[in-house]
Amino acid sequence: AEARGDWTAADTAYQEFLTIARDLADRADTPQAARDLAAALNNLGRIAQARGDWTAADTAYQEFLTIARDLADRVDTPQAARDLAAALDNLGRVAEHAGRTEEALRLQRERLNVLRPLADAFPDLVSPAELDETDALIVRLHEQTSP
C-alpha cells in the first residue's frame, strides 16, 4: 500500500502492526520486541509525514526515539545505533518543519555524534555522503539559529 502511495491503506496496515508490536513488547520484554515496536512507530511517522500530518509524525517519532534510545543503552549493537540515528534524523526533520530550528539542530548534532563512531567501526553502515549531508544540514540549521 505504501509503495502505491495509498496512505490510508498503509496507515491501517501499520496501525495493525503497531497494535501487535505493542502487545508483543508488553508480553516479551526483549530487544527484538522493542525493535519491532520502534519499526512500527517509524513506519507510522513516515506515513503521517507523507500525508502532511506533521503532528502525528512528531508523536510517532517521539516514541520511536524514546525506544531507540533505550535499545541503544540496552544492546550495544550497530543496528541499535543506526536506529537511534534514524530516529534523531526523523524527529529533527519534523522539528525543522515545525520551525523548532534549535531543537532540530540539537537532534542533528546528536545524530552526527552517533553516526561518526559507527562509520569508523562499520564503514559499510554509514557512507561518507551521509556524514557530509548531515554536516551540511547542521551548518544550515546553525546559520538559521544565528542572529
Side-chain angles (χ1 to χ4, degrees):
E2 183 179 359
R4 295 188 316 269
D6 185 347
W7 306 126
T8 302
D11 185 67
T12 299
Y14 288 139
Q15 287 289 349
E16 290 175 16
F17 176 33
L18 178 63
T19 299
I20 292 166
R22 266 196 210 287
D23 183 53
L24 183 59
D26 287 344
R27 287 193 276 142
D29 185 24
T30 66
Q32 186 59 51
R35 186 156 194 275
D36 290 345
L37 179 55
L41 290 159
N42 186 40
N43 291 338
L44 281 170
R46 194 174 59 249
I47 295 302
Q49 192 173 344
R51 288 190 343 242
D53 187 349
W54 293 91
T55 301
D58 190 52
T59 300
Y61 289 151
Q62 287 281 356
E63 190 174 354
F64 172 33
L65 178 58
T66 298
I67 294 167
R69 281 189 198 285
D70 179 61
L71 268 174
D73 288 343
R74 284 173 59 190
V75 294
D76 186 20
T77 65
Q79 187 60 55
R82 195 77 181 109
D83 290 347
L84 177 57
L88 291 162
D89 183 42
N90 292 345
L91 194 56
R93 291 180 188 273
V94 170
E96 180 184 11
H97 182 270
R100 302 186 319 255
T101 310
E102 289 184 14
E103 177 186 351
L105 178 59
R106 179 184 55 76
L107 290 163
Q108 292 298 343
R109 282 181 174 154
E110 185 178 350
R111 175 179 184 242
L112 189 59
N113 288 336
V114 171
L115 288 177
R116 278 192 180 129
L118 190 60
D120 290 342
F122 303 95
D124 55 319
L125 288 181
V126 181
S127 71
E130 184 176 4
L131 292 173
D132 291 345
E133 289 167 12
T134 305
D135 276 329
L137 177 56
I138 288 169
V139 167
R140 185 173 53 77
L141 290 168
H142 180 72
E143 288 171 352
Q144 291 175 11
T145 60
S146 298

